[in-house]
Amino acid sequence: SVNPDLASERQTASFSVEKLTALLDGGTEQTRIRRAVVEAIESDPVFSRENQYFQTQNERYEAAVRKAVHLQKKMHEMGWTENGPEYKYIYRALSGDVAFLLHRVFMRSISVLGSDKQIAQWIPLATQHKLIGSYAQTELGHGTYLQGLETTAVFDTATQEFILNTPKISAMKWWPGDMGRSATHTVVFAQLYIHGKCYGIHPFIVQIRSLQDHSLCPGVIAGDIGPKMSFEHIDNGYLLLKNVRIPRENMLSKFCEVRPDGTYVRQGSQKINYFTMTTVRISLISDEVLTPLMKACTIAIRYSVVRRQSKLKPGEQEAKILDYQTQQEKLLPQLAAAYAFHFINDYLQELFNRGYREIQRKNFDMLPELHALSSGFKAVITQHCTAGVEICLRACGGHGYSLLSGLPSLYTKILASCIYEGENTILLLQTARFLIKCFMAADAGQPVPPSVTYLAAVKHGKCPAKNKLDFLSPDIYTEAYQHVAVRLTSSTAAKLQDLIQSGVKKHDAWNQCTVQLVQAAKVSKIYLLI
Amino acid sequence: SVNPDLASERQTASFSVEKLTALLDGGTEQTRIRRAVVEAIESDPVFSRENQYFQTQNERYEAAVRKAVHLQKKMHEMGWTENGPEYKYIYRALSGDVAFLLHRVFMRSISVLGSDKQIAQWIPLATQHKLIGSYAQTELGHGTYLQGLETTAVFDTATQEFILNTPKISAMKWWPGDMGRSATHTVVFAQLYIHGKCYGIHPFIVQIRSLQDHSLCPGVIAGDIGPKMSFEHIDNGYLLLKNVRIPRENMLSKFCEVRPDGTYVRQGSQKINYFTMTTVRISLISDEVLTPLMKACTIAIRYSVVRRQSKLKPGEQEAKILDYQTQQEKLLPQLAAAYAFHFINDYLQELFNRGYREIQRKNFDMLPELHALSSGFKAVITQHCTAGVEICLRACGGHGYSLLSGLPSLYTKILASCIYEGENTILLLQTARFLIKCFMAADAGQPVPPSVTYLAAVKHGKCPAKNKLDFLSPDIYTEAYQHVAVRLTSSTAAKLQDLIQSGVKKHDAWNQCTVQLVQAAKVSKIYLLI
């Protein structure tokens, strides 16, 4: 039975709920698929999350492994596939509370960075779950500064192997999901050395645990990094390598190859090695960022309808807290943002799919733009949605603070998205570097990439709004944001130039402008989003 | 041995660290006492927090009880007293990770609201820990709207007892600390009924567990409300009462009394019953709000000195992240705020001590002002410090997200301070109600309380800053904030009047102005703080 306060609110909808549902899902067929998946998952006791908040970290991990294994059977039984339309609904229905998620990133790394031969060798093994993959990039001493990673991979021409080492404690891999207890294989990012010369960061497939008894391979030390703010079910891990030898064929070599004699051959940009990150940054928006905001809005708004507190009108029944202006001011903008980001997301995915296809054809022209866009969008959207979930939590008062409301775990999980796959401030500065470069090019009359052509069209007009009703027009906002984006970029570029001309060294000048640069990058992304 | 990067930063201090320490502590003698306390606590293995992040909720609770019991012995052994200068340092050194904290609120309620006879009866028992006290105000259905509490206390003239009942599920007491497993007694807030007439909310001392075997008393159902975002060590609980009888003498009766024949006698304002909250709101600022921000700043700034990431200058060693402008922009304002609030806190405590002394003398004149000030300051300071801790956490990237950094638990704990002892939006609206009332009085030429005299001195001048250097003068900010505070208050008052004159009902008009009212209350408190 539905709470009467909830039922009465639902009756007042001015639109067809079923039509909107189909629109959000992308068609009635998608809605049908989603509902079938949700029904199948929710009716299966193995997938129950009922006691999760009373479980220890270890119990959470074991449940997540149990679910992951059961999910494989279930998918087979239901005829669902990893690349089928059901997958995103499965993930959503499970709230991501399942093990072996890095397995997909492992596969994506091989698909993006591996040669056809490597894809043919590893992807079937991974698809059949004959191994459990992970992705080992971040080290204890290095997260955002990838060039500074310290793990080494030295090519030994005599044996045709790479020898991997963790030269010091700060070089220990730290944070990789599924690494602490689960993974048998991982993609290790390491500095490639051939004949004593360093060729920078490259990805290597390394087996870390036995396929027979799951014991650690010789030379491998790995384990769990301990408790975090959320993700109790994931065994984020550490990894130390001591003279671990892997065959030459294990360096992912779609774009870079080491020939048997040690000759190094590169096709395209060195930066292509970071491209897995670029694609992950965009694909996480839907599952890890928008869904939590949508769930938080749903919980907080429903609660605000059934919770009655204090009296709006003397002598009457206590009012639904949603009827208070302050509660509406908290929640409705979050709901609006969830819709806006949902529809923008389709556009972002399409943009990146197009770029991805080009890069697979070894056309790297879009790489800098895709990197800047994915970095900026990831930072702005995660930031906004994280703040939104926090507002929803606080808007439910004490009951929002109980783990049983679901809001604390939505918050502690989405908060991580501001840090992982690139810390937001660093990402915004990378976007800003691209913006400044494009602004200088535009200023010099050179062509600029499509997403920043607005930088060339600097207008010095005033705000066209004449009275308060004009602020109901979306065009006013688009124009205002464009104006601010161009102005912040141009004024920061001017400040940079001034500093350099006054004798400040280039890197110092850059550092002295970074607070403004972050601001310029944020506004430019918001402008593109609206 | 100290990390060399930390050591070199410490050598660059432009002030005497020892002098500043003494200034913060309130004198060298205080520093000596603090250091002795910290030394005694940290060297005692019972107080160790080493494994806390690996413990279950139950283990955390048991450890907190163990510490609370051990602390009593330790205090006796060391000659420390509950009201002595050591107590605040003990609490800080334990990070509040100790059981029976509500015992102090129980005692404070009796001291503030109890008659001399009640104080003489209960305080010695509590001081000697012959009972464990709690404070049962909030119910499942009512938090902020105290008038809506549903627990009943019916006076029975025949037996000279109050009969306490939880008439329905929403009337169940919910959240009280130490209630789930620990407390033997509690102060229950309930609607007083005499001869069928309701006299509103009053406080009653109720025994809920046996002093012999700790079993629940007849008619009492109580337990733990389950996991929360933090406070794993506290057994926040629920409480249902079924015809629980307590003697007439158990209603706290400094200000209100029920005579044997059922005659109700009140001295002073009914609102005095909420005064425990008012005093708790101010006293929590130091221990629960400022200390976490100070700790978070210390952790994040130290980390920023030892963490090196990326290069500021090409060819050089990687830079300390504190040397990046963006990192300074995140952390230094939080550090400055921690100092500012620390020094303001002394002033607030003194203001409230003065008010408290007046009220004990049954002079209630200051009550509305103290209520408005404590509500507003609590909301503004908790809000600011919570945001500050979150910034510190995010500024440490992935390592800040590890529970072992200490930052996640500082955040999840301080976040609760925005909700408990009055949800911040509600508190700001109560402040706003006081402001509007005072503004109308000032407007009509009537006298207003000292803290709002500025409302009478409306100036319509322009900002006196003539160039950017003027913004280095604090007076400019004080004047600007005063201007904004008056302007927001006056414009909202005008909007309220307009709405009412145009036929909108008073309560609807109020609701339509609440977003602006919250803004006005915030700014007015910031103005008073600077």
Side-chain angles (χ1 to χ4, degrees):
Chain A
S1 76
V2 173
N3 177 297
D5 281 337
L6 210 49
S8 72
E9 289 292 333
R10 284 177 178 159
Q11 277 160 14
T12 64
S14 59
F15 53 88
S16 157
V17 173
E18 201 58 25
K19 271 189 195 161
L20 180 60
T21 304
L23 190 66
L24 285 168
D25 283 331
T28 51
E29 175 57 11
Q30 290 290 315
T31 300
R32 194 195 57 73
I33 296 171
R34 179 173 60 75
R35 286 179 177 158
V37 167
V38 170
E39 161 66 22
I41 298 282
E42 291 192 349
S43 64
D44 190 327
V46 179
F47 295 127
S48 166
R49 303 170 70 225
E50 197 179 337
N51 290 314
Q52 62 172 329
Y53 298 123
F54 296 88
Q55 291 175 329
T56 62
Q57 191 183 353
N58 193 42
E59 287 165 346
R60 292 287 290 270
Y61 169 72
E62 287 179 355
V65 170
R66 207 176 304 121
K67 286 180 199 174
V69 173
H70 185 67
L71 181 60
Q72 289 311 313
K73 286 187 214 153
K74 190 92 181 178
M75 288 178 74
H76 186 75
E77 186 188 310
M78 303 292 290
W80 299 337
T81 62
E82 299 269 344
N83 301 314
E86 298 88 0
Y87 194 81
K88 64 178 171 181
Y89 302 128
I90 297 170
Y91 187 83
R92 196 161 109 186
L94 294 171
S95 287
D97 207 358
V98 62
F100 313 150
L101 293 175
L102 270 287
H103 192 68
R104 287 169 75 86
V105 180
F106 174 82
M107 287 173 75
R108 192 192 300 232
S109 301
I110 295 171
S111 308
V112 174
L113 305 175
S115 66
D116 292 344
K117 203 176 149 192
Q118 288 171 323
I119 292 173
Q121 180 189 350
W122 292 100
I123 296 297
L125 289 172
T127 306
Q128 294 159 52
H129 294 271
K130 297 206 166 156
L131 55 82
I132 302 167
S134 172
Y135 181 87
Q137 180 179 298
T138 301
E139 296 174 357
L140 188 62
H142 285 99
T144 52
Y145 184 59
L146 295 181
Q147 294 167 55
L149 292 177
E150 296 172 295
T151 303
T152 56
V154 176
F155 186 57
D156 179 357
T157 37
T159 62
Q160 292 290 301
E161 291 171 319
F162 294 104
I163 310 165
L164 281 94
N165 270 296
T166 304
K168 48 183 181 163
I169 194 86
S170 57
M172 172 163 54
K173 294 294 175 188
W174 193 264
W175 280 109
D178 299 340
M179 175 79 87
R181 302 168 66 173
S182 305
T184 62
H185 289 69
T186 191
V187 173
V188 171
F189 282 77
Q191 302 284 359
L192 169 65
Y193 283 88
I194 309 171
H195 302 314
K197 185 181 162 190
C198 181
Y199 289 84
I201 291 298
H202 287 75
F204 302 85
I205 300 179
V206 180
Q207 182 172 354
I208 59 169
R209 286 188 177 89
S210 159
L211 292 173
Q212 269 66 53
D213 63 5
H214 207 67
S215 62
L216 290 168
C217 293
V220 173
I221 300 172
D224 196 294
I225 61 164
K228 303 137 291 184
M229 205 167 173
S230 190
F231 296 98
E232 296 85 354
H233 64 292
I234 294 185
D235 54 321
N236 294 87
Y238 63 85
L239 174 72
L240 289 138
L241 301 169
K242 200 169 172 188
N243 292 321
V244 173
R245 287 174 170 268
I246 58 167
R248 186 178 65 88
E249 293 74 20
N250 279 22
M251 184 176 104
L252 292 178
S253 57
K254 184 180 186 94
F255 304 105
C256 310
E257 198 189 343
V258 177
R259 300 243 167 97
D261 64 350
T263 308
Y264 177 82
V265 185
R266 186 200 298 168
Q267 293 185 291
S269 166
Q270 158 91 28
K271 294 200 170 130
I272 191 65
N273 284 324
Y274 312 141
F275 193 63
T276 307
M277 278 288 124
T278 305
T279 69
V280 170
R281 239 166 243 155
I282 291 301
S283 69
L284 70 85
I285 290 174
S286 165
D287 298 340
E288 311 299 346
V289 185
L290 296 188
T291 308
L293 178 61
M294 290 171 172
K295 289 183 180 180
C297 286
T298 306
I299 296 168
I301 292 171
R302 282 188 189 166
Y303 175 74
S304 302
V305 164
V306 302
R307 174 77 167 182
R308 289 176 175 272
Q309 197 78 179
S310 206
K311 297 187 182 185
L312 256 177
K313 194 172 165 181
E316 277 200 350
Q317 192 189 4
E318 288 183 67
K320 296 172 177 177
I321 60 172
L322 193 58
D323 289 339
Y324 291 96
Q325 191 190 41
T326 46
Q327 191 75 352
Q328 292 171 7
E329 191 234 0
K330 288 176 190 176
L331 297 178
L332 301 187
Q334 314 319 318
L335 181 68
Y339 276 98
F341 286 134
H342 171 86
F343 291 110
I344 284 167
N345 184 50
D346 292 341
Y347 157 78
L348 289 181
Q349 301 294 345
E350 180 40 39
L351 183 74
F352 278 83
N353 290 342
R354 216 161 55 226
Y356 182 70
R357 285 191 298 268
E358 286 302 312
I359 281 157
Q360 290 306 92
R361 271 184 242 134
K362 303 198 175 164
N363 170 7
F364 301 108
D365 293 351
M366 277 180 79
L367 201 54
E369 191 180 12
L370 285 179
H371 177 66
L373 283 174
S374 73
S375 300
F377 284 134
K378 184 270 187 183
V380 167
I381 296 176
T382 56
Q383 195 85 6
H384 199 103
C385 294
T386 301
V389 172
E390 193 188 3
I391 290 168
C392 291
L393 185 155
R394 293 194 194 196
C396 295
H399 293 309
Y401 193 79
S402 164
L403 288 195
L404 300 163
S405 73
L407 291 164
S409 59
L410 286 170
Y411 175 73
T412 52
K413 211 170 167 184
I414 197 173
L415 175 63
S417 74
C418 297
I419 302 167
Y420 63 57
E421 317 306 347
E423 192 277 332
N424 281 354
T425 303
I426 305 295
L427 291 182
L428 287 169
L429 284 173
Q430 297 194 0
T431 306
R433 202 174 278 280
F434 174 79
L435 276 179
I436 294 289
K437 213 170 147 186
C438 293
F439 177 81
M440 305 296 252
D443 208 39
Q446 291 158 10
V448 292
S451 67
V452 286
T453 46
Y454 69 93
L455 287 176
V458 193
K459 277 180 260 173
H460 289 288
K462 297 215 162 189
C463 175
K466 299 278 174 260
N467 60 59
K468 65 183 183 181
L469 285 178
D470 287 343
F471 285 103
L472 295 173
S473 151
D475 291 345
I476 295 283
Y477 294 95
T478 315
E479 203 168 313
Y481 266 102
Q482 183 183 8
H483 184 85
V484 179
V486 174
R487 182 110 162 229
L488 273 172
T489 308
S490 63
S491 70
T492 318
K495 185 179 165 189
L496 256 176
Q497 296 279 33
D498 284 356
L499 284 167
I500 293 166
Q501 275 165 19
S502 74
V504 178
K505 284 188 183 139
K506 213 173 158 182
H507 55 270
D508 283 332
W510 178 263
N511 190 28
Q512 286 172 38
C513 293
T514 46
V515 168
Q516 282 176 48
L517 286 163
V518 164
Q519 206 49 35
K522 263 188 206 168
V523 172
S524 77
K525 286 299 140 306
I526 295 171
Y527 163 61
L528 290 181
L529 289 173
I530 61 171
Chain B
S1 76
V2 173
N3 177 297
D5 280 337
L6 210 50
S8 72
E9 289 291 333
R10 284 177 177 160
Q11 276 158 16
T12 64
S14 60
F15 52 87
S16 158
V17 173
E18 201 58 24
K19 270 189 196 161
L20 181 60
T21 304
L23 191 65
L24 285 168
D25 283 329
T28 50
E29 174 57 12
Q30 290 290 314
T31 300
R32 194 195 57 72
I33 296 172
R34 179 174 60 75
R35 286 179 177 157
V37 167
V38 170
E39 161 66 21
I41 298 282
E42 290 192 350
S43 64
D44 189 327
V46 179
F47 295 127
S48 167
R49 302 170 71 223
E50 197 178 338
N51 290 314
Q52 62 171 330
Y53 297 124
F54 296 88
Q55 291 175 330
T56 62
Q57 192 184 350
N58 192 43
E59 288 165 344
R60 292 287 290 271
Y61 169 72
E62 287 179 355
V65 171
R66 206 177 303 121
K67 285 180 200 174
V69 173
H70 186 68
L71 181 60
Q72 289 310 315
K73 284 188 216 154
K74 190 93 182 177
M75 287 178 73
H76 185 74
E77 187 188 308
M78 303 293 289
W80 300 337
T81 62
E82 297 270 343
N83 301 314
E86 297 88 1
Y87 194 82
K88 63 178 174 182
Y89 301 128
I90 297 169
Y91 187 82
R92 194 161 112 187
L94 294 171
S95 287
D97 207 357
V98 61
F100 314 149
L101 293 174
L102 269 287
H103 192 67
R104 288 169 74 84
V105 180
F106 174 81
M107 286 171 77
R108 191 190 301 233
S109 301
I110 295 171
S111 308
V112 174
L113 305 175
S115 64
D116 292 344
K117 202 176 150 192
Q118 288 170 325
I119 292 173
Q121 180 188 354
W122 292 100
I123 297 297
L125 289 173
T127 306
Q128 295 161 50
H129 294 270
K130 297 206 167 157
L131 55 82
I132 303 168
S134 173
Y135 180 88
Q137 179 178 298
T138 302
E139 296 174 358
L140 188 62
H142 286 99
T144 52
Y145 184 58
L146 295 182
Q147 295 166 52
L149 292 177
E150 296 171 295
T151 303
T152 55
V154 176
F155 185 58
D156 180 355
T157 38
T159 62
Q160 292 289 303
E161 290 172 319
F162 295 104
I163 310 164
L164 280 94
N165 269 295
T166 304
K168 47 184 182 160
I169 194 86
S170 57
M172 173 164 52
K173 294 294 173 186
W174 193 264
W175 281 110
D178 300 340
M179 175 80 86
R181 301 168 67 174
S182 305
T184 62
H185 288 68
T186 190
V187 173
V188 171
F189 282 77
Q191 302 284 358
L192 168 65
Y193 283 88
I194 309 170
H195 301 316
K197 186 181 163 191
C198 182
Y199 288 83
I201 292 299
H202 288 74
F204 302 85
I205 298 178
V206 181
Q207 181 171 354
I208 59 169
R209 286 187 177 92
S210 158
L211 292 174
Q212 269 66 52
D213 64 5
H214 207 68
S215 63
L216 290 168
C217 293
V220 173
I221 300 172
D224 195 295
I225 61 165
K228 302 136 291 183
M229 205 168 174
S230 191
F231 297 96
E232 296 86 352
H233 64 292
I234 294 186
D235 54 321
N236 294 88
Y238 62 86
L239 174 73
L240 289 139
L241 301 169
K242 203 171 169 186
N243 293 322
V244 173
R245 287 177 171 266
I246 56 168
R248 186 179 65 90
E249 293 74 20
N250 278 22
M251 185 177 104
L252 292 177
S253 56
K254 187 184 184 89
F255 304 105
C256 310
E257 199 188 343
V258 178
R259 300 242 169 98
D261 64 350
T263 309
Y264 177 82
V265 185
R266 187 200 295 167
Q267 293 185 290
S269 167
Q270 159 92 29
K271 290 192 171 137
I272 191 66
N273 285 323
Y274 312 143
F275 193 63
T276 307
M277 278 288 125
T278 304
T279 69
V280 170
R281 241 167 240 151
I282 291 302
S283 69
L284 69 86
I285 290 175
S286 164
D287 298 340
E288 311 300 345
V289 185
L290 295 189
T291 308
L293 178 60
M294 289 172 174
K295 288 183 180 180
C297 285
T298 305
I299 296 169
I301 292 171
R302 282 188 188 166
Y303 175 74
S304 301
V305 165
V306 302
R307 174 77 168 182
R308 289 176 174 273
Q309 198 76 180
S310 206
K311 298 186 183 186
L312 256 177
K313 194 171 166 183
E316 277 199 349
Q317 192 189 4
E318 288 182 66
K320 295 172 178 179
I321 60 173
L322 193 58
D323 288 340
Y324 291 96
Q325 190 190 42
T326 46
Q327 191 75 354
Q328 292 170 7
E329 191 234 0
K330 288 176 190 177
L331 297 178
L332 301 188
Q334 313 320 318
L335 181 67
Y339 276 99
F341 287 133
H342 172 84
F343 290 110
I344 284 168
N345 184 50
D346 292 341
Y347 157 77
L348 290 181
Q349 300 296 345
E350 179 41 37
L351 183 73
F352 278 83
N353 289 342
R354 215 162 55 225
Y356 182 71
R357 285 191 298 268
E358 286 302 311
I359 282 159
Q360 291 304 94
R361 269 185 244 136
K362 304 202 174 163
N363 169 8
F364 302 107
D365 294 351
M366 277 180 79
L367 201 55
E369 191 180 14
L370 285 180
H371 176 67
L373 283 174
S374 73
S375 301
F377 283 134
K378 184 269 188 185
V380 167
I381 296 176
T382 56
Q383 194 84 6
H384 200 103
C385 293
T386 300
V389 172
E390 194 187 4
I391 290 168
C392 290
L393 185 155
R394 292 194 193 196
C396 295
H399 293 310
Y401 194 77
S402 165
L403 288 196
L404 300 164
S405 73
L407 291 164
S409 59
L410 286 171
Y411 176 72
T412 52
K413 212 170 167 186
I414 197 173
L415 175 63
S417 74
C418 298
I419 302 166
Y420 62 56
E421 316 305 349
E423 192 275 334
N424 281 354
T425 303
I426 305 296
L427 291 183
L428 288 168
L429 284 172
Q430 298 194 359
T431 306
R433 202 174 277 279
F434 173 78
L435 276 179
I436 294 289
K437 213 171 145 184
C438 293
F439 177 80
M440 305 296 251
D443 209 37
Q446 291 159 9
V448 293
S451 68
V452 287
T453 46
Y454 69 92
L455 287 176
V458 192
K459 276 181 260 174
H460 289 289
K462 297 213 161 191
C463 175
K466 300 276 173 260
N467 61 57
K468 65 183 183 182
L469 285 178
D470 287 342
F471 285 102
L472 295 174
S473 151
D475 291 345
I476 294 284
Y477 293 95
T478 315
E479 202 168 315
Y481 266 103
Q482 183 183 7
H483 185 84
V484 180
V486 174
R487 182 111 161 225
L488 274 172
T489 308
S490 64
S491 71
T492 317
K495 186 179 163 189
L496 256 175
Q497 295 278 37
D498 285 354
L499 285 168
I500 293 166
Q501 275 165 17
S502 75
V504 177
K505 284 188 183 136
K506 212 171 160 185
H507 55 270
D508 283 331
W510 178 263
N511 190 27
Q512 286 172 38
C513 292
T514 46
V515 168
Q516 283 175 46
L517 286 164
V518 164
Q519 207 48 35
K522 263 189 210 168
V523 174
S524 76
K525 286 298 141 302
I526 295 171
Y527 162 61
L528 289 182
L529 288 173
I530 62 174

